[in-house]
Amino acid sequence: MQDRISRIIVVGGGSAGWLTAGVIAAEHSIDSQAEQPFELVLIESPDVPTIGVGEGTWPSMRTTLQRIGIAETDFIRECDASFKQGTFFRDWQTGDGDTYTHPFTVPIEFAEADLVPHWLGLKSAPPYADAVTPQTALFDQCLAPKQITTPQYAFVVNYGYHLDAGKFAELLRQHCTEKLGVQHIKANVSQVNTAENGDIRSVATDSAGEIAGDLFIDCTGTRSLLLGEHFGIPFQSCHEYLFNDTALAAQVPYTEDDQAIQSCTHSTAQTAGWIWDIGLPTRRGTGHVYSSSHISEDEATEQLLAYIREIAGDESAASVAPRKIEYRSGHRQEFWHRNCVAIGMSSGFIEPLEASALVMIELAAGMIADQMPATRDVMDIVSKRYNRKFLRHWNQIIEFLKLHYVLSNRDDSPYWRDNHTATSIPEALSEKLTMWRYRSPWHPDAEAVDDLFPTASYQYILYGMGFVTEPRHTASHQQDQRNRQAAELFRKNAARAAQLQQAMPSNRELLNKVREFGFQKL
Ligand SMILES: Cc1cc2nc3c(=O)[nH]c(=O)nc-3n(C[C@H](O)[C@H](O)[C@H](O)COP(=O)(O)OP(=O)(O)OC[C@H]3O[C@@H](n4cnc5c(N)ncnc54)[C@H](O)[C@@H]3O)c2cc1C
């Protein structure tokens, strides 16, 4: 076959580089002796460190790890991973101790029933998420989403992970090089060489010579060495909508060895940003993401330290040294150009509010593995489809993240007031909010089958934050029947929540058992 695509070069060895290499290598067996050989080389700088954050995943990570061929027990043991069942938000609505949750499980019977209109009609209703899913009942007591007898990657309630980013990249490296045949070169890419047709022909390195390939995957982090620097694909800022551009990250020790491990990421709003709090078995990862135009670094640090004092005491707060990470909020205008595709931070980053970066890497790697262009001609068709799809995903991320800010009633600082100005709200989001005043979002609002955020997620944020929908009118005989069905579903959900609270072990108990015995492999 002419122009067969058979040699893939990944540049960058952070989570993006290794996840991408793993997903592609697992799908396309690597064998240089085969009649039609397929090779995958990952080049990683020995000098440029990885970003070292990115500790919250979506449930999709279970599928990705399975696809790569990593046992869940090994993953949990090697990456200090714990179970994440969603996000717990505090102080987002009023700043006065208000709370709500965004769990990973969709509302009960979501395929068939939209429970929002019925929930809105309840007298003394529980919070929306509590009324429609049993998952949130596990949050308060830090309970696990499964039992030790549940097979690996299966669940009782849906879950993703919290993990140690450095250990994760190391596990992936080991697995990719030892089990999947990925070649690993430690060298700095110093130059990009162009072919006659304008493609990348090869990259020159400082210590491993020139490395040629058919498809180059740019996982070089925010530098975006191939797509951004070499091809000059412009960066599309979204700072006008989402103002955060700086993070202060800190690791916080537990105060007791057997302290409970949270079941979800905690996100606590501040005067010019928010603080994340992620529980691993060995420590907590915290950080303050904020807008540098709205607060000084000293003030932002003080807010983070005040939070750490509250959760871990004065001694811990005195011992941490937060690490500052600055970033541009936005994405490249195009992600796949000629024979080069950018994945991870090199393609863009907005903010970690809904942990959407790793899932975008998983989706990108999955699409490349599934639709690996057979020839150079086919690559131009696949890249067009890829760019369309990923632009849609980025636009949805911008809208969905902005939703959290738009719905807030806070006006205690310029940051929150600026977040409410009409020009800071994407037009498509304003239109949706206008529609949803009269009916709740449900399946008709999905734009594509592979939307990143399902309409269930919109429901959790909207009604968690007190959005008011005036239900549409329905013929009364239908309304009675639907109300009866809804009442039955609310009752069923409450019973299931009570049952799970009795049955599920704590996160720490389950993680200790996984370390000792491991999960069953199906
Ligand atoms: C504050 C913060 C919090 C985050 N939290 C989350 C979260 O909870 N969930 C989530 O999904 N995501 C999160 N992210 C995003 C997540 O961290 C990244 O998407 C993920 O780590 C992937 O990074 P990367 O591999 O693209 O880049 P990096 O980790 O920066 O890796 C870049 C790689 O490129 C290599 N490189 C650079 N230059 C060269 C060169 N010249 N030659 C060879 N190699 C080179 C480097 O050595 C490195 O190996 C967060 C990001 C930030 C900033």
Side-chain angles (χ1 to χ4, degrees), residues 134-135 137-138 143-145 156-157 494-505:
Q135 182 149 44
L138 305 179
L143 298 180
V156 176
V157 288
R496 178 79 176 138
Q499 189 191 33
L500 288 180
Q501 277 182 327
Q502 293 301 314
M504 302 313 284

Side-chain angles (χ1 to χ4, degrees), residues 11-17 43-45 48-57 187-190 219-223 225 247 276 278 289 325 327 343-346 349 352 355-359 361:
V11 185
S15 306
I43 311 168
E44 176 186 11
S45 164
V48 182
T50 60
I51 195 154
V53 279
E55 301 192 320
T57 85
N188 287 295
V189 167
S190 49
C219 297
T220 58
T222 46
R223 186 167 166 198
L225 189 64
W276 80 78
I278 280 176
V289 193
I325 303 166
Y327 62 88
I343 299 184
M345 303 293 283
S346 62
F349 179 68
S356 49
L358 290 171
V359 67
I361 296 168

